[in-house]
Every structure is written in C-alpha cells, then in structure tokens.
Amino acid sequence: MPGNGNSLTRLRTAITVFFALDGFVFAGWVVRIPAIKEQTGASASALGLALLGVSAGAVVTMVLTGRLCRRYGNHRVTVACAVLLSLSVALPPLTHSALALGLVLLVFGAAYGGINVAFNSAAVDLVAAMRRPIMPSFHAAFSLGGMIGAGLGALVAGSLSPTRHLLLLTVVGLLVTAMAGPTLLRQKPPEPPEPPGRERPAEGAAPRRLDGRTRGLVLVFGLIAGCTAYGEGALADWGALHLEEDLGASPGAAAIGYSCFALAMTVGRLTGTTLLERLGRTRTVVAGGATAAAGMLLGSLAPALWMALLGYAVTGIGLANLFPVAVERAGALAGPSGVATASTLGYGGMLLGPPAIGFMADWFSLPAALTSVAILAAVAAAIGFATRGAAAR
C-alpha cells in the first residue's frame, strides 16, 4: 500500500497523465469528424445517428465500470481502458458507411466512458489519502489535453489524412500508457484511515450496502454534474453560432467564443484546489453556480460581441469546479459506483444540452435558449446550498 509522500506523488502524476491523454485523444477525434463525414458519404442526419454510438457506448459502460473497478481495481481498469481507447480511435477512418462508423464508435465510446469512471475513481481514492481537495487539478489536465489535441489536430488537418492522424494518436496513446501504466499497476490504491468506530471491510468483500439517504446524496451530486455538463455541451455546439448569427461576428471571431470559455474553465480548474481549501466544497459550488449563471446571462443576452465573450469566460470560470467536486463527493460516499452514477448523469447532461438548445431555439430564439444554461447553473448552486448540512454529515 502506498503510504509515503513520494508514492502518492507518483500516483498523482500517473493519474494526471491519463486525464490529459483522455482529453487529447478525444479532441483529436472530434476535429476530424468533418473529414470522416465526407469519407463515409453520410448525410447530416446519418452522421448524427452514428455519433450517438459514442454516447451509447459511454453511458452503458459507465454503469458497468463501477462493478469492474470493485472487482479488478481502479488502476487496472484505467490502464485497460486507456489501451482500448488508444486502439479504437484509429478505427473511424477505416469505415466507409454511417452504419460501420456507428459500430466502431460504440467501441470508442465504451473505452471513453470506462476510463472516465476508472480514473475518476482512482482520483477519489487519492484525494482521500492526501486529504487535500486536488480533484480540480485532474480535470484541468483533461481540459489542457483537449486544448492541445484540438490545436494539433487543426494544425495537421491540412497535411495528414484522418487515417494517419488518428493512427498517430493510437501510437501516442499506447506510448503514454506504457510509460504511466506501470505506476498504476504496481501500486494498490491508497487507503486512508477509517473514521473511529468504522471497520474496514476485508479485501474482496462485498461492498457496503448504501442506505437511502446516501444513495439520494449521490443522485444529488450527479444532478449538479449534469447541470454543469449541460452548459459545457451547449456552449461547445451553439456558442459560436450565437455569436455569428445573433451578433454578426465573423467565423474567426465566433470561434474565439468557445476558446474563451474553455481557457477560462482550464484556469478555474488549475486554481480549484486553492479555492476549495479557502472556501470549502459547498461555498465553491454555490459561488461557482451563481457566477456561471450571471456569466451566461451576459453571454446570451449581451448586445455586443466583447460583452458576450466576457460572459462566456465568466461562465467557464463559474462552471470549472462544479463537475470535479460533484464526482469527488459522489465517489467519497459510494466508491466507484458513486463515480459511475455521477459521471453518467453528468454525461447525460452534456448529451441533453445541444438538442435541448436546438428545440428551444426553434420555439423561441437562440439567445433565449442559451439562458437555460444560466438557469441550470443557478439550480446547481441552489442544490449545493440546500444540501450543505447533509453533505457535510
């Protein structure tokens, strides 16, 4: 069992690397979607159905990965899913129909969902052992990996075919896994001392049954994650369109909108540990949700481009630490099953956001639809405040 500071630091570094790798590989795939669409000859609707393979594979696997983590350990499942993720990202360019693309994306989505539950569960164990709220730093690594993956993907898109680019991602993923994986495989998850009066279950024993109150709290934290991820999905798909169509921004200026949001979220997560140490989890959630609500109201209703960009950045700062805190709290309450539940609800929010915004934009307008991001951020803040006593206990 890793008990000294050096082994915990090595574990933290290895887990951080896998968070960054996940963001890097996923972003690299996303930037090649237009080229894959052209290669398969899929219509917009057929491509949309094929892309649901990622979502379906991820959601189903998230539910199952909690059980796999309990049986085989968070570290082993993280490494296995990293290998599968690295291999499966090379498959989409090999397809020549929407159906084949959807099938291989099921595999890719399964690996993506599995590694998210596994390394978040490993991170929860480490947070408890180090007794510091370092969860945001892992998610900052994911955001940084995504920004690097998207940037490099944009640079090589004109010179490398999707097949070569995504095969290169496979090579990078396998090399990184080979370097960081042994640290996880050699060391068991750290085990913090149990509170007085509670006995540690024997290794391999059945997990402790959760009472209704605990299960309810896990769902509450999952709702906070869902409200946060709803905003991320909505801004990723609709933020630039709002700037271009409603505020008359050029395509280049509109693209800056999501960059402002993503960069602000990354900065917020890099400073998240300090913020959590000073404010505590409840006040961080309440303040973050309120900040995001104010920022998105500005971003969606502002009459000028610079004000909207400022609103996007404020929204990113506000949302930055809500998802990491929600997942960490759910994991502390219920282990890998709690992480799986919160991650599934969070991912569900990210899936719900873009189509919900689309329907509301048709019914009302896109600026009005984007205010739903502000409403749900305020809901997350209200939930955090209403459950502050129960969460503390």
Side-chain angles (χ1 to χ4, degrees), residues 236-281:
D237 284 20
W238 293 100
L241 191 65
H242 164 58
L243 299 180
E244 192 170 341
E245 291 191 350
D246 299 311
L247 297 180
S250 67
I256 293 174
Y258 184 71
S259 298
C260 288
F261 171 77
L263 181 60
M265 177 169 278
T266 302
V267 172
R269 286 175 169 173
L270 288 172
T271 58
T273 296
T274 301
L275 188 67
L276 285 165
E277 287 177 334
R278 292 185 178 181
L279 297 183
R281 292 177 177 87

Side-chain angles (χ1 to χ4, degrees), residues 6-363:
N6 288 336
S7 60
L8 292 180
T9 300
R10 286 195 297 271
L11 271 181
R12 181 179 181 179
T13 300
I15 294 170
T16 300
V17 167
F18 280 110
F19 269 86
L21 176 65
D22 186 41
F24 178 80
V25 170
F26 190 79
W29 142 249
V30 167
V31 299
R32 300 316 299 253
I33 289 177
I36 300 296
K37 177 181 182 298
E38 182 178 351
Q39 175 181 302
T40 59
S43 65
S45 58
L47 178 67
L49 289 174
L51 292 176
L52 281 178
V54 178
S55 308
V59 170
V60 171
T61 309
M62 282 178 173
V63 176
L64 299 175
T65 304
R67 298 176 184 176
L68 292 175
C69 287
R70 287 198 302 270
R71 181 168 183 178
Y72 299 107
N74 306 327
H75 294 177
R76 290 180 181 177
V77 177
T78 296
V79 174
C81 289
V83 172
L84 181 59
L85 183 75
S86 301
L87 293 174
S88 61
V89 76
L91 297 178
L94 306 180
T95 62
H96 297 282
S97 69
L99 176 60
L101 178 62
L103 291 175
V104 301
L105 290 181
L106 277 172
V107 180
F108 180 70
Y112 179 73
I115 195 172
N116 271 268
V117 171
F119 62 35
N120 271 295
S121 298
V124 167
D125 290 336
L126 192 58
V127 168
M130 297 186 74
R131 299 184 177 181
R132 289 190 66 210
I134 59 172
M135 197 69 170
S137 67
F138 296 116
H139 289 261
F142 174 85
S143 298
L144 284 171
M147 292 175 67
I148 295 171
L152 289 178
L155 286 175
V156 304
S159 56
L160 285 182
S161 67
T163 301
R164 291 183 177 181
H165 177 203
L166 298 187
L167 183 60
L168 184 61
L169 293 186
T170 293
V171 173
V172 171
L174 292 177
L175 286 175
V176 170
T177 302
M179 289 187 292
T183 300
L184 294 189
L185 296 176
R186 282 196 302 264
Q187 299 183 193
K188 293 183 179 180
E191 297 177 352
E194 289 287 343
R198 181 184 297 176
E199 295 182 359
R200 183 182 303 281
E203 186 173 350
R208 178 173 59 90
R209 295 184 66 85
L210 304 178
D211 56 38
R213 186 188 188 100
T214 302
R215 284 195 295 269
L217 275 175
V218 169
L219 290 175
V220 164
F221 289 122
L223 287 175
I224 292 175
C227 290
T228 304
Y230 176 97
E232 291 187 53
L235 276 170
D237 284 20
W238 293 100
L241 191 65
H242 164 58
L243 299 180
E244 192 170 341
E245 291 191 350
D246 299 311
L247 297 180
S250 67
I256 293 174
Y258 184 71
S259 298
C260 288
F261 171 77
L263 181 60
M265 177 169 278
T266 302
V267 172
R269 286 175 169 173
L270 288 172
T271 58
T273 296
T274 301
L275 188 67
L276 285 165
E277 287 177 334
R278 292 185 178 181
L279 297 183
R281 292 177 177 87
T282 296
R283 282 188 286 180
T284 297
V285 169
V286 173
T291 300
M296 200 59 228
L297 285 176
L298 177 62
S300 58
L301 303 178
L305 176 62
W306 71 268
M307 295 174 67
L309 293 177
L310 176 62
Y312 282 14
V314 172
T315 303
I317 291 174
L319 292 180
N321 295 304
L322 270 64
F323 192 95
V325 169
V327 171
E328 186 259 321
R329 289 289 80 199
L333 284 166
S337 295
V339 173
T341 299
S343 298
T344 303
L345 289 172
Y347 200 76
M350 185 172 286
L351 296 178
L352 177 64
I357 295 291
F359 283 119
M360 287 186 284
D362 284 340
W363 295 333

